[in-house]
Amino acid sequence: SSGINAEYGGMTGWDFQSCTEMFMPISSNPDLDMFPASSYDLEAIVKYCEAKWKITARPYHLKYYFGGQDGFDFSGYSRIVFSNGMLDPWAAGGTANKL
C-alpha cells in the first residue's frame, strides 16, 4: 500500500498517540446526538492501551504538561481563543468557563 496512510501508519499512529498523550474523554447518547450509545470508561481504555502498546497509559499527560482547567491561571496570557460549544464533539476537552 502507498500514500500518507501507509507512510505514517494510518490510524495505528493515532491509536498510540491517544494512549500516550491525547486521551479523548468522549461518549455519546442517541437521545442527545446522532451516534449510538457509548460511555467513556477510563479504566477500560487504560487497560486496552497498556495491553495493546505495552506502555504506561498517560491519560492526564496534556493537563500536567501544558496546564489544565483546575485552577490554572490564564491571567498572564493573551490572544487565546477557545472556540468550542456544547454541541462541539471536542467540547469535553475545552472550557466553557470565563477565564
Side-chain angles (χ1 to χ4, degrees):
S1 150
S2 63
I4 194 164
N5 284 333
E7 182 179 349
Y8 293 105
M11 292 305 289
T12 303
W14 175 250
D15 189 51
F16 178 79
Q17 186 177 26
S18 68
C19 285
T20 58
E21 296 178 343
M22 304 276 296
F23 265 70
M24 296 292 174
I26 297 175
S27 61
S28 59
N29 178 340
D31 293 333
L32 302 173
D33 56 46
M34 64 184 187
F35 301 104
S38 174
S39 63
Y40 181 74
D41 184 345
L42 179 61
E43 185 177 332
I45 294 170
V46 166
K47 285 180 182 178
Y48 162 80
C49 290
E50 292 179 351
K52 168 81 175 177
W53 297 106
K54 309 293 187 253
I55 51 93
T56 299
R58 302 185 302 171
Y60 305 105
H61 170 73
L62 288 180
K63 179 178 179 176
Y64 295 127
Y65 190 80
F66 292 107
Q69 298 172 341
D70 300 333
F72 188 76
D73 180 11
F74 287 98
S75 64
Y77 301 88
S78 63
R79 299 183 184 180
I80 299 174
V81 176
F82 296 99
S83 61
N84 65 294
M86 295 314 295
L87 296 178
D88 182 343
W90 300 100
T95 182
N97 300 324
K98 184 175 178 172
L99 301 174

